[in-house]
Amino acid sequence: MILQTLDIKDNCKGIFHRGAFLFDNVEETANRYFLAWKHSPLLDDENFRYLYLSLKDDDLSPYCHDPELFLIYKRKLEAHQKAATTAKVSLAEECFSDLLPEHQLTKWFRIRQQALENLYGMTKKEDDYDILHKAHVFTTNIAHQDITFGDKKGRVLYNIFGSATGRLTTKKGSVPILTLKKEQRQLLTPQNDAFIELDLNAAEIRMLMALSGREQPQGDIHEHLQKEIFGGWGKRSEFKERLFAWLYNPNSDDTVFDDFFSRETFRDFFAAEDELLQTPFGRRLAVEERKAQNYLLQSTTSDQVIENAYKIQKMLKNKKSKIAFTLHDSIILDMAQEDAIMVKDIKRQFEETRWGNFVSTCKIGKTFGDLKELKV
């Protein structure tokens, strides 16, 4: 049997078990399974395979014996949800399943159960399953947390399939953390005592060095490279701008960096005849050759951040503190003072990679727009 959970909102916890809904002893029963449709905070995720990840956000209906019936009941569910929203029913306070006719909800779960069994029989774990599992669990847990944005509370809703490289995007209805203007960052405030931001220093440059077999410098990478390449001459800001212009433009004729970095690193991961890039995290990305190096660096760096965010979320289980969200190459902790002793260990975990340690900076503040450097 494949587990389906009912936790559409925090106060609506239940599972579909043996053809019926169960609301008592839910966690104990749920964790007897090893297959589930999607992750729920109810579940000990390491014991589960999530079939949602085999679909990669495609439609489940083709796996049903009667795809038309599947879509009819899916639309009924969506219509009830839209009606509740129009009627201004707070789904944060009401259990959505209580608003539906029980026979419709039961029918929907039975139809989906059939489709999931077919999906399981026709698919297997792919090479990127491990990182997708971590991304799915991490972002699902984030989606169950409140975040204060101005005078309202909202949720950060990530889409793990929203970009070609695997970098996270946000869904409609999410607090727009990826597109906030500088002045809007002040509107983000923690639920606990302070935000702490951990940000990898020049993460994609470090990843290029790592994949090229170069040793990671300890300290600011731009100052290090400026000294190595130009003997320390010039302004750091100008050097940084010039380096990134070279990195992201495959047609750049700024050859000063070519003796220090390789533009051919991607070839160890790229099948030119198929235009297919397989990253160290197992992702298979369709990309033309001229963009392959950028895709490799962006995807691998993003997945390294996701992997460590997942591990840190585990460290914070049953703690008051939590990861509020992740933003590109950083994670933002919603930190309670009682957990402050953990910051050093969290920072150490954030910097750990399979290629050695990447250096990170640390900042703290009462809003996301007012972060100051913190020595850890």
Side-chain angles (χ1 to χ4, degrees):
M1 292 289 288
I2 298 163
L3 183 65
Q4 299 183 69
T5 58
L6 249 178
D7 58 335
I8 299 170
K9 291 293 178 182
D10 296 340
N11 60 343
C12 184
K13 297 188 183 297
I15 62 173
F16 191 65
H17 175 64
R18 294 180 178 175
F21 295 109
L22 178 68
F23 297 97
D24 298 320
N25 300 318
V26 169
E27 290 188 38
E28 180 182 349
T29 303
N31 283 295
R32 294 175 189 164
Y33 286 75
F34 69 94
L35 291 169
W37 168 223
K38 291 184 178 180
H39 176 65
S40 158
L42 293 169
L43 306 181
D44 183 359
D45 75 274
E46 293 177 358
N47 295 327
F48 281 85
R49 175 184 165 189
Y50 298 114
L51 296 181
Y52 167 70
L53 302 176
S54 295
L55 275 181
K56 289 185 165 55
D57 218 24
D58 286 340
D59 190 6
L60 182 59
S61 64
Y63 294 90
C64 187
H65 293 318
D66 188 343
E68 186 176 347
L69 185 64
F70 180 98
L71 292 173
I72 287 171
Y73 274 86
K74 182 181 179 182
R75 291 181 189 123
K76 284 182 179 181
L77 191 77
E78 292 169 346
H80 281 294
Q81 188 166 11
K82 184 177 180 180
T85 302
T86 302
K88 297 185 177 180
V89 174
S90 174
L91 297 180
E93 298 173 2
E94 300 287 344
C95 182
F96 179 53
S97 60
D98 290 342
L99 304 177
L100 298 174
E102 184 176 349
H103 70 279
Q104 283 189 12
L105 192 64
T106 301
K107 182 69 173 179
W108 163 244
F109 271 69
R110 286 177 178 169
I111 293 171
R112 191 166 64 180
Q113 182 73 28
Q114 178 198 76
L116 291 174
E117 290 169 0
N118 290 335
L119 173 64
Y120 174 61
M122 298 169 66
T123 57
K124 62 180 181 178
K125 284 186 181 180
E126 296 186 356
D127 292 340
D128 60 356
Y129 178 83
D130 182 65
I131 192 61
L132 289 178
H133 178 109
K134 290 170 180 174
H136 174 53
V137 171
F138 169 68
T139 57
T140 299
N141 291 339
I142 291 282
H144 281 77
Q145 300 172 175
D146 285 331
I147 188 167
T148 303
F149 185 51
D151 58 355
K152 297 180 181 179
K153 285 190 177 180
R155 301 280 172 101
V156 178
L157 308 175
Y158 287 111
N159 180 0
I160 67 173
F161 298 115
S163 71
T165 61
R167 296 188 78 168
L168 299 178
T169 61
T170 52
K171 299 178 181 178
K172 184 179 180 180
S174 171
V175 174
I177 51 141
L178 298 178
T179 56
L180 287 177
K181 296 179 180 178
K182 190 172 181 180
E183 59 272 18
Q184 291 177 305
R185 293 188 170 204
Q186 297 281 358
L187 301 176
L188 278 177
T189 55
Q191 306 297 296
N192 294 310
D193 297 303
F195 279 140
I196 292 181
E197 180 187 54
L198 297 174
D199 188 10
L200 292 177
N201 170 245
E204 290 181 14
I205 299 293
R206 288 186 178 276
M207 187 58 71
L208 176 59
M209 296 183 73
L211 296 178
S212 303
R214 286 186 171 273
E215 187 175 343
Q216 291 292 320
Q218 299 302 304
D220 180 72
I221 201 165
H222 297 295
E223 292 177 1
H224 170 83
L225 293 175
Q226 187 177 12
K227 183 177 180 181
E228 288 284 319
I229 297 172
F230 293 131
W233 180 84
K235 294 182 180 179
R236 178 187 180 278
S237 59
E238 292 175 354
F239 174 85
K240 179 179 177 181
E241 182 178 348
R242 185 173 172 181
L243 174 58
F244 278 110
W246 171 87
L247 178 66
Y248 294 119
N249 180 7
N251 298 318
S252 172
D253 58 2
D254 194 350
T255 59
V256 69
F257 297 106
D258 291 342
D259 294 332
F260 197 84
F261 295 110
S262 171
R263 286 192 180 277
E264 304 297 310
T265 304
F266 74 93
R267 295 201 181 278
D268 291 337
F269 307 89
F270 186 64
E273 63 277 11
D274 300 319
E275 293 196 324
L276 197 65
L277 180 77
Q278 181 150 350
T279 75
F281 286 91
R283 292 187 188 269
R284 295 167 64 85
L285 309 177
V287 57
E288 57 188 307
E289 186 171 312
R290 69 184 186 87
K291 294 182 179 179
Q293 182 105 320
N294 288 355
Y295 269 48
L296 174 65
L297 297 180
Q298 290 176 18
S299 181
T300 308
T301 303
S302 173
D303 282 344
Q304 185 60 67
V305 172
I306 288 170
E307 181 169 75
N308 282 342
Y310 169 85
K311 292 177 180 178
I312 292 166
Q313 197 174 67
K314 293 277 190 185
M315 292 172 65
L316 292 171
K317 187 176 181 179
N318 299 323
K319 302 291 184 182
K320 192 174 180 183
S321 300
K322 58 195 175 185
I323 298 179
F325 54 92
T326 180
L327 182 64
H328 305 311
D329 304 326
S330 67
I331 63 169
I332 292 79
L333 303 166
D334 188 333
M335 206 73 190
Q337 188 172 355
E338 64 194 58
D339 300 323
I341 195 172
M342 298 180 67
V343 172
K344 185 174 289 188
D345 288 337
I346 291 171
K347 186 173 186 289
R348 187 179 297 117
Q349 176 61 75
F350 183 61
E351 295 176 342
E352 186 179 287
T353 82
R354 63 182 70 180
W355 301 278
N357 286 352
F358 286 14
V359 173
S360 72
T361 58
C362 186
K363 294 181 179 180
I364 188 170
K366 289 290 187 181
T367 76
F368 188 50
D370 186 29
L371 299 173
K372 308 296 183 185
E373 185 177 357
L374 176 67
K375 295 291 185 182
V376 178

